[in-house]
Amino acid sequence: MRGNIFDIKRYAIHDGPGIRTTVFLKGCNLHCRWCHNPESQSLEPSRMWQIHRLGEKEFREEKMVGYCITAEELWTELRKDQVFFEESAGGVTFSGGEPLLQPDFLLEMLKRCRAAHFRTCVDTAGAVNIGGLEEICRYTDLFLYDIKTAEPDTFRTFIGEGYENVWDNLKRIVQHGAQVLIRIPVIPGVNDSLVALSAIVGRLKTIPALHRIELLPYHRTGADKYRRLGREYGMGETASLTETGITGIKEYFRENGYEVL
Ligand code: SF4
């Protein structure tokens, strides 16, 4: 069995508990304007410029991002980090792109991880129509589940199609009893107003088992990648947010009964 990935990041500490190895699967059905991994969106390898500077001069080298890998090859890579997983209560995170778009490959890797007692996270935006989600839940210790908005029009304008899938799949995951950490990227002008935040809280409250939230302040680290892909960055000059800049938003979720990481 084969899958398409574009990176394997070792010693990751922001993609779930402990020290993790994060596998970035290629392909996403969304096109969030702030996406900091735009090279992940196409399922096929993406042509991207690597820019080298020598003094005042800039040299461009073309590079293909993304490759096909067999389950066995990926498994060989993941096993190399076993000692870090054991010592830190870490494990493997499958991110993207959207990992649920390669469900068979994802499931195969999750099963291998479970058999080896590697703890697993799946980092998803959930906007996919997927049949085998319950099977994926059986082998996933924690879902890092992106909620970007609870306003369908905002979703369509800034993110793409599949708004109801996000909430339907979240409900299915929770009903299955899987652990979920809701992750909300805080995006200026998209979901940082009181109206937008109260819509999110209102919708989250319809799924009572959800208690934990992580807020991710918008940052511009991916902006340069758009230039290197020959694309326009959809957020213009919008400035990055800081942890302190979203203190009020964290407080808002706490006041509404959520544990905010
Ligand atoms: S869901 Fe994630 S990977 Fe897909 S476009 Fe949005 S930010 Fe990028």
Side-chain angles (χ1 to χ4, degrees):
M1 182 175 299
R2 290 167 176 273
N4 291 337
I5 69 171
F6 68 98
D7 202 5
I8 300 172
K9 184 169 82 181
R10 303 197 134 89
Y11 317 117
I13 52 167
H14 298 296
D15 297 331
I19 297 175
R20 313 197 66 83
T21 296
T22 302
V23 180
F24 293 88
L25 282 82
K26 197 140 163 42
C28 185
N29 56 326
L30 300 179
H31 45 81
C32 309
R33 287 197 192 171
W34 53 89
C35 180
H36 60 272
N37 283 332
E39 75 278 31
S40 74
Q41 292 171 356
S42 151
L43 184 63
E44 302 302 323
S46 307
R47 203 177 295 275
M48 200 171 176
W49 295 108
Q50 183 91 33
I51 299 181
H52 308 282
R53 288 194 177 81
L54 192 61
E56 296 289 291
K57 291 198 172 153
E58 193 175 276
F59 299 93
R60 294 177 165 214
E61 180 193 355
E62 198 178 82
K63 189 180 148 202
M64 296 307 285
V65 180
Y67 54 97
C68 193
I69 191 166
T70 66
E72 195 54 37
E73 286 165 344
L74 180 54
W75 185 236
T76 303
E77 289 303 314
L78 296 178
R79 272 187 316 192
K80 290 177 187 170
D81 301 329
Q82 180 163 4
V83 63
F84 298 107
F85 305 155
E86 287 168 359
E87 284 179 4
S88 70
V92 180
T93 297
F94 296 93
S95 182
E98 173 51 70
L100 295 184
L101 287 179
Q102 298 184 60
D104 296 341
F105 183 65
L106 175 63
L107 187 58
E108 170 66 20
M109 298 314 302
L110 289 170
K111 284 181 175 174
R112 288 180 185 232
C113 288
R114 175 60 56 83
H117 305 290
F118 296 175
R119 292 183 186 83
T120 53
C121 288
V122 172
D123 177 11
T124 177
V128 291
N129 193 351
I130 176 169
L133 184 58
E134 284 70 16
E135 186 69 350
I136 287 171
C137 287
R138 281 185 59 199
Y139 295 94
T140 302
D141 294 306
L142 176 68
F143 282 87
L144 306 175
Y145 202 97
D146 284 10
I147 290 294
K148 305 165 200 291
T149 180
E151 298 172 301
D153 290 344
T154 303
F155 195 93
R156 218 165 290 121
T157 305
F158 292 96
I159 299 162
E161 299 298 323
Y163 172 77
E164 281 305 333
N165 287 335
V166 174
W167 294 98
D168 289 348
N169 288 333
L170 179 56
K171 231 178 259 171
R172 285 168 70 189
I173 289 170
V174 169
Q175 279 167 358
H176 193 275
Q179 294 297 306
V180 178
L181 171 63
I182 297 292
R183 299 222 289 190
I184 304 174
V186 179
I187 312 297
V190 175
N191 64 3
D192 62 340
S193 69
L194 188 55
V195 171
L197 294 169
S198 66
I200 292 176
V201 168
R203 191 85 198 236
L204 286 174
K205 291 274 183 202
T206 64
I207 310 176
L210 299 170
H211 303 294
R212 287 195 311 150
I213 287 178
E214 185 175 19
L215 297 176
L216 309 170
Y218 162 76
H219 59 77
R220 297 181 58 83
T221 46
D224 187 55
K225 290 185 182 175
Y226 287 80
R227 182 166 73 100
R228 291 164 51 208
L229 286 162
R231 289 171 52 182
E232 196 177 330
Y233 183 46
M235 295 299 287
E237 295 305 315
T238 308
S240 295
L241 295 175
T242 59
E243 286 291 339
T244 350
I246 61 166
T247 308
I249 296 178
K250 285 186 179 178
E251 209 39 54
Y252 179 76
F253 280 99
R254 287 195 182 110
E255 282 164 8
N256 279 282
Y258 293 97
E259 179 192 347
V260 180
L261 305 185

